[in-house]
Amino acid sequence: MTTDLNVDETFKKLQTHKGVKGILIINKNGSVIKSTFDNDTSQQYSKLILDLFPRASTLLKQNDEKDQVSFFRVRSQDNDIMVSPDNDYFLMVVNQVKHE
Amino acid sequence: MTTDLNVDETFKKLQTHKGVKGILIINKNGSVIKSTFDNDTSQQYSKLILDLFPRASTLLKQNDEKDQVSFFRVRSQDNDIMVSPDNDYFLMVVNQVKHE
């Protein structure tokens, strides 16, 4: 189980990455553990993640019943949202896409 | 609009890529245009894509209302499913993840 210390460390490390626009950590019930977003936005993202994740998992299991999602990612031309499940948490990072 | 020629070309090109386990092209209503999967599996994937895509789009638009999904991706340790929307089609590719 990720201890609170790890959560803070992960959070601080990610915040220093260039292009990171926002970070959210929620538990598996959707409660916001830590967030750089305001409360409403955090709640919105939380709902969307809990809605998306089981569907992403079903898509993966269509190919291999035993498979477990390590992350899912939604990309547009300018933005990149990555969601990674841990045992007890979901970590979401919103990135600005760098155009060379 | 992607003509049938492009669809065939895209399909053939992708099939030659190492690690590609399956390819599916559906239109925006979910009708299967071309697939390496059997019919039932193709229909299952089609339903899952149509179910997932609007949710992936909503997640993205939470960050930027004008944003459009260029692709979404679901990864596990061994498999990688990428779905990319075109104007009229969805292209899905199931890949085996290469472990160095």
Side-chain angles (χ1 to χ4, degrees):
Chain A
M1 209 196 78
T2 314
T3 61
D4 290 346
L5 194 69
N6 295 5
V7 165
D8 286 336
E9 266 173 49
T10 308
F11 213 80
K12 272 186 209 124
K13 234 186 299 176
L14 284 169
Q15 279 184 297
T16 59
H17 284 220
K18 226 177 131 228
V20 169
K21 294 171 76 173
I23 307 164
L24 173 73
I25 294 179
I26 59 172
N27 70 14
K28 290 291 171 91
N29 305 318
S31 312
V32 177
I33 306 299
K34 212 169 168 61
S35 178
T36 58
F37 302 101
D38 61 63
N39 191 47
D40 283 351
T41 305
S42 301
Q43 298 298 339
Q44 278 296 339
Y45 273 128
S46 173
K47 254 190 336 183
L48 292 167
I49 290 168
L50 292 191
D51 194 32
L52 249 171
F53 183 74
R55 291 173 163 83
S57 185
T58 307
L59 183 73
L60 206 59
K61 288 182 187 300
Q62 178 68 36
N63 170 61
D64 175 353
E65 188 47 48
K66 298 180 302 312
D67 239 351
Q68 301 289 331
V69 178
S70 47
F71 74 81
F72 66 84
R73 178 179 213 160
V74 186
R75 263 287 302 260
S76 68
Q77 206 170 338
D78 298 320
N79 298 295
D80 185 5
I81 300 182
M82 282 185 63
V83 179
S84 176
D86 182 0
N87 293 330
D88 305 296
Y89 299 93
F90 284 108
L91 167 66
M92 181 190 82
V93 182
V94 181
N95 283 300
Q96 179 101 36
V97 172
K98 219 173 44 184
H99 295 294
E100 302 308 316
Chain B
M1 210 194 82
T2 314
T3 62
D4 290 347
L5 194 68
N6 292 6
V7 163
D8 285 336
E9 265 172 50
T10 307
F11 213 79
K12 272 185 208 124
K13 233 186 301 175
L14 284 169
Q15 280 184 297
T16 61
H17 285 220
K18 221 174 137 238
V20 168
K21 294 171 77 173
I23 306 165
L24 173 72
I25 295 179
I26 59 171
N27 68 14
K28 289 292 171 84
N29 304 320
S31 311
V32 177
I33 306 299
K34 211 169 169 64
S35 178
T36 58
F37 302 101
D38 61 64
N39 192 46
D40 283 351
T41 306
S42 300
Q43 297 298 338
Q44 277 297 341
Y45 273 128
S46 173
K47 248 185 352 184
L48 291 167
I49 291 168
L50 293 191
D51 193 33
L52 253 170
F53 183 74
R55 289 172 163 81
S57 185
T58 307
L59 185 72
L60 206 60
K61 288 182 186 301
Q62 178 68 36
N63 171 61
D64 175 354
E65 188 47 48
K66 296 181 303 312
D67 237 353
Q68 302 288 332
V69 178
S70 47
F71 72 83
F72 67 85
R73 179 178 215 157
V74 186
R75 263 285 306 255
S76 68
Q77 206 171 342
D78 299 320
N79 297 294
D80 183 6
I81 299 181
M82 281 184 64
V83 178
S84 175
D86 182 357
N87 292 331
D88 304 296
Y89 300 94
F90 284 108
L91 167 66
M92 181 191 83
V93 182
V94 181
N95 283 301
Q96 179 99 38
V97 172
K98 219 174 41 184
H99 294 293
E100 301 309 318

